[in-house]
Amino acid sequence: MAKSSADDAELRRACQLAVEGTKHKVVLCIRTVKTHGTWGKSAKVRQMAKPRVLVLCTKAKGQRTKAFLRVLKYSTGGVLEPAKLYKLKHLSKMEVVTNDPSGCTFTLGFDNLRSQSVAPSQWTMRNTDDRNRFLLCILNICKDVLGRLPKVVGIDVVEMALWAKENTPAVSAQSNQHGDASIASSVTESELKVYVEKELVSQAEEEDIEALLGTYIMGVGEAEAFSERLKRELQALEAANVHAILESEPLIDEVLHGLESATNSLEDMNEWLAMFNVKLRHMREDIESIETRNNKLEMQNVNNRSLIEELDKLLEQLSIPSEYSACLTGDSFDEAQMQQNIEACEWLTTAMRGLEVPNIDPTYAKMRGVKEKRGELQIIKSTFVGKASEYMRNYFATFVDFMLNDKNYFSQRGQLKRPDHADLRFKCRTYARLLKHLKILDKNCLGPLRKAYCSSLNLLLRKEAREFANELRAGVKTSKTPSVWLEVFTGSGQNVNPADTATVSEAYAKMLTIFIPLLVDESLFFAHFMCFEVPSAVDGNKTTHNDEDDDGIASGKIAVDLAALNESLQDLLDGIQEDFGSVVDWAYKIDPLCCISMHGTTERYLSGQKADAAGYVRVLLDDLESRISFQFGRFVDDACHQIERNERNARQTGVLPYIPRFAALATRMEQFVAGQSRDLVDQAYTKFVSIMFVTLEKNAQADPKYADIFLIENYAAFQNSLYDLANVVPTLAKFYHQASEAYEQACTRHISVIIYYQFERLFQFARKIEDLILNNVAPEEIPFQVGLSKADLRKTLKSSLSGVDKSIAAMYKKLQKNLTSEELLPSLWDKCKKDFLDKYETFVQLVAKIYPAESVPSVGELRDLLASM
């Protein structure tokens, strides 16, 4: 047999060190593999296998000895350390896994494990010898220490005993000597031997059985003799039985006589019992009949009482209280009677709902009395709803007429009056609950009521807005001089007084400040008062729907009510936009630039409005904003038309008048920019400047000779006048850079014309050389070309540079001759000198490359000459 790890002294010492300090003595230690896999899938087993060492230990505690099973694992450094500890007194089963074809895998079942649903660990030994050795050691310890044996499954105990007998010399005690001290006591051969017989009978019982068998000589040596002996004994036993029966005959006769008498008595008793049974059956049938009749009477009595109670409830439900009947059929809807009317409405609503099928038994709903009472309640409902609706329509019209006839409710001469609808709302709140009940009783009745309310209140709001706007215009004093911006003719227009513009803008803002909150409040009050189911009209109670179908139905109702609300609000506020528009038109006539501030004010109010119950106010503000944008667009179009008229005038010279006037206009426009009005102003700037630049280019083309000078002066004037604004307004900055590029291009063209006019022959010679170089002519061949010889070069230099100071002076005079803006001359002359020196430097480089032997005046000499002039 191969050497087992149980005989490894080093392993035993390592195990003893691992349990040191626990007073445990190592009896047996052996290497194994811990798995949790299924043996049908070997790949998983290899992945989940973990090396372990199983150690059987004992611990002496007084007169008792405890046995333990320790599981040791290898740490990172290869040192054994405790992993788990099991008490052998809880070991209930040892089972060899049948799925393992080698038979080396087994499980140990403990009855104290917390989770019996988790499969126990499987331990796999190197061979069956190690397995048998470990299991035999456990059995011997359990027998000697605990006095009992665990259940063994999957292995024959006799086979294990035979294995133990064959391998007795190999199963020796393990000892580990360290110094002079003994670490563990040895396990003797007798301790490891298993006696299977002792599990069946003890030694004393076996001796008793042998003694008993020895006292009886069966004589089974010869089969025929033994058979004859058995036959003789059987015959003797039968003869003895017959003799006994014959001797007991008198006793048997006496017993039979007694049995006959008892039989007769039983027959008589049976007849009597049959007779009494018939009588009892008849009595039982009579009693059952009586009980059945009694039960029917009791049931009938109970049903009659329940029927009477139900009829009393139904009669009570069908009856109309006298106080409610008087309110529902009367004509009194005064404020004093409103509480009684509301209570009557609540009762009527409850009564009608109580007669519907979900709230009443379907059988009752088919009764004639219930049907008649339902029809009666319908008539009462229709009568009450009609009278209440007529009263409310007259009430709205009467109260609004009273307010229209009272001048104290409106603005008067010299006094602006803020509209006050507190009295109207107080009166309406008195009837708010009545309207809610009217909607419950008949939802179609609110349509005429809403129209009547909107019609009456519209007259009041229109008059309040009209009177307020008239008094607002009358209280603002402005100059009568109209403004004509960007007019090209001098003195045709005058600037508007800035105070007038500010006053007009404040008047418009005041109009919105007073009336927009008023219209919002009136819209919200109307939505709440007239029972519209919209988010802003509810009382603030948010209902949570768990059912998605209910949510869909509720959303559909809200959408329908919101559409009806907007339609009613259109009737309520229709026409009031004209009163706001009149203020816009009035402000536009005084100063069109008021549209900028009015647009910003309107946008501020517009951004604060939401698409809720007051959503129609947003529609009014949208229309008002569109009207302001339209008026400002008219102003921009008129100004652009004034600019375009310059194209049809006579030849223009110098700076066009609309350029400085546009700067003044832009400065004023920036004073009114606020919020979203920036987009409006930027659009105007874009249109203005685009027309200005197009017109400027067209005017320049009228006289091509002086076109560049004309463009230089006007683009320079545009940049100078808008320099400060371009630093803060991105749109103007874009056009500023556009004008700067056009200015640079015009300057370059004009200066090139002046330079070529004075030094045309010199730079024409340089251009010919450059053309030949571009045509891939070698530099050494250029002096032999026609017109480009060295003699030609000397003639060109003599004719162009002999009086260069006079030529430069002529350039300056020509640059100064047609320029009307003297402040541009220094910068233009500096640019002219720079461009001339650049061109001359290029010429000098070409000459040095093509004609190295020729000498020309250096660039430094001409630079000094230009600096001295």
Side-chain angles (χ1 to χ4, degrees), residues 262-278:
T263 301
N264 294 331
S265 298
L266 288 176
E267 289 177 354
D268 295 338
M269 181 64 68
N270 188 26
E271 292 178 359
W272 281 97
L273 290 176
M275 182 179 63
F276 282 118
N277 187 27
V278 172

Side-chain angles (χ1 to χ4, degrees), residues 484-617:
V484 185
W485 296 100
L486 300 179
E487 177 62 55
V488 295
F489 301 109
T490 304
S492 62
Q494 299 179 3
N495 289 334
V496 178
N497 186 2
D500 294 345
T501 305
T503 305
V504 171
S505 300
E506 291 175 0
Y508 175 78
K510 189 172 185 179
M511 181 81 174
L512 293 186
T513 303
I514 296 297
F515 276 91
I516 294 302
L518 173 67
L519 297 181
V520 172
D521 293 342
E522 285 298 333
S523 300
L524 295 176
F525 177 78
F526 173 75
H528 177 73
F529 179 56
M530 285 299 173
C531 306
F532 285 96
E533 295 182 3
V534 291
S536 297
V538 297
D539 297 333
N541 298 326
K542 297 183 179 179
T543 303
T544 302
H545 299 276
N546 294 327
D547 192 354
E548 295 181 358
D549 295 337
D550 294 341
D551 289 340
I553 294 173
S555 301
K557 290 181 179 179
I558 290 176
V560 172
D561 268 15
L562 189 59
L565 174 61
N566 289 330
E567 184 178 353
S568 298
L569 289 178
Q570 185 175 1
D571 296 335
L572 178 67
L573 305 178
D574 186 34
I576 199 171
Q577 62 269 22
E578 298 300 329
D579 299 309
F580 286 96
S582 64
V583 177
V584 173
D585 297 341
W586 165 72
Y588 173 76
K589 292 178 181 179
I590 295 176
D591 186 1
L593 297 186
C594 290
C595 294
I596 300 175
S597 59
M598 290 191 298
H599 187 277
T601 304
T602 307
E603 182 61 33
R604 185 172 67 252
Y605 279 97
L606 188 60
S607 61
Q609 298 300 317
K610 300 179 180 179
D612 52 8
Y616 193 74
V617 178

